[in-house]
Amino acid sequence: MLTSDHLPSTLAGCPPSPATRSEERQRAIGRRVQHERMRADLTRLDLVDRAGVDRITLQRIEAGTTDARLSWLLRIAGALAIPLADLVRE
């Protein structure tokens, strides 16, 4: 029989760990960056040029696999002409 000690914390009714919340937040920010980039009808290379961030960095941000620096997000928001809050809202 499976007990709650054999289940991941999210399945056992426990809140997700801080690492899990942080990872989900990274993914959410990445989805917003990608959404706003596409809404602005920009390619990744267009945004890289406008924001002055590395191509791989932008790919990782959009994929949610990196903890984006505030300076990167500020540059990206500026290049997209949107408030930073639009990218990092909960």
Side-chain angles (χ1 to χ4, degrees):
M1 178 171 159
L2 216 61
T3 63
S4 63
D5 1 317
H6 294 84
L7 296 174
S9 62
T10 53
L11 296 178
C14 299
S17 71
T20 303
R21 282 189 295 249
S22 176
E23 291 164 358
E24 178 49 40
R25 189 146 169 80
Q26 285 173 207
R27 287 189 293 273
I29 290 170
R31 286 189 300 268
R32 286 187 206 108
V33 168
Q34 184 178 39
H35 171 80
E36 292 296 336
R37 174 181 60 79
M38 294 173 81
R39 194 169 69 86
D41 198 29
L42 297 173
T43 66
R44 278 192 183 139
L45 290 179
D46 292 335
L47 185 53
V48 162
D49 289 342
R50 290 181 183 199
V53 297
D54 183 73
R55 179 181 58 85
I56 298 297
T57 297
L58 180 59
Q59 286 176 336
R60 289 179 179 159
I61 290 170
E62 286 189 352
T65 59
T66 191
D67 196 2
R69 294 180 185 174
L70 178 59
S71 61
W72 296 337
L73 294 175
L74 284 167
R75 286 188 245 159
I76 291 168
L80 293 169
I82 61 171
L84 174 64
D86 287 358
L87 296 179
V88 298
R89 73 183 184 282
E90 294 266 350

